[in-house]
Amino acid sequence: MMEELLNKENSINRFNIRVYGIAINLEGAILLCNEEFMDRKFTKFPGGGMEYGEGTLDCLRREFREELNVEIEIISHFYTTDFFQQSTFVKSDQLISIYYLIKLIDEPINKPAGFFWKPLAALAESDLSFPIDKIIVKMLL
């Protein structure tokens, strides 16, 4: 994986499509996750990279199955990046991030480390690490 990323660094410019779910529970809390990648810690919305052959909704369902072992209901499209955003990790990538409002079908039985519910009333832009996620927080509030 690391070697693949480093090779991308020297490749031609390309698009990196990311798909995220915005889940708000009945108590008014939003699902977030803490992750670490390439020696950098960050907080983001759950989701991840779209794979070749997938649509955005398939990607989001797969990510939630892989990360939380839950099925989701997709409620509606929320936002798609409408400006240039360079990837933090691979400078030759332009990010296109797509966000959907979702509902978890079931609460994860064993929520993996890093996932947590944050009260929406206490949510601030500074809680999220990446520029596009900060825009989403502004839109939610």
Side-chain angles (χ1 to χ4, degrees):
M1 176 78 160
M2 183 65 80
E3 183 178 319
E4 181 181 325
L5 281 172
L6 294 175
N7 287 336
K8 285 181 190 175
E9 200 62 51
N10 298 320
S11 68
I12 60 172
N13 297 336
R14 61 184 209 118
F15 294 104
N16 182 341
I17 301 171
R18 316 296 294 175
V19 186
Y20 299 102
I22 301 169
I24 301 171
N25 66 17
L26 295 176
E27 290 78 37
I30 192 162
L31 186 63
L32 301 174
C33 62
N34 291 318
E35 291 186 14
E36 185 174 348
F37 183 71
M38 294 177 66
D39 297 324
R40 181 171 176 177
K41 294 181 182 180
F42 49 90
T43 302
K44 66 179 198 68
F45 291 101
M50 194 164 80
E51 297 177 356
Y52 185 80
E54 278 183 323
T56 58
L57 302 182
D58 292 331
C59 170
L60 193 54
R61 288 184 184 102
R62 176 185 52 77
E63 287 287 342
F64 272 81
R65 275 187 219 110
E66 288 176 1
E67 294 178 0
L68 286 163
N69 197 29
V70 295
E71 297 297 323
I72 60 171
E73 176 185 339
I74 296 165
I75 299 168
S76 65
H77 174 262
F78 187 77
Y79 178 77
T80 298
T81 308
D82 58 2
F83 57 93
F84 173 76
Q85 180 64 55
Q86 184 179 45
S87 171
T88 298
F89 301 106
V90 181
K91 298 303 181 197
S92 61
D93 281 5
Q94 176 178 341
L95 294 181
I96 298 173
S97 296
I98 304 167
Y99 296 80
Y100 289 94
L101 292 174
I102 65 162
K103 177 182 172 188
L104 303 183
I105 301 296
D106 296 306
E107 181 70 24
I109 296 170
N110 297 311
K111 191 166 29 178
F115 286 85
F116 63 98
W117 292 99
K118 170 103 181 186
L120 195 54
L123 187 65
E125 287 178 55
S126 59
D127 292 327
L128 284 290
S129 303
F130 299 121
I132 303 170
D133 288 347
K134 291 176 186 293
I135 289 170
I136 298 303
V137 171
K138 260 199 265 194
M139 293 173 73
L140 287 168
L141 300 178

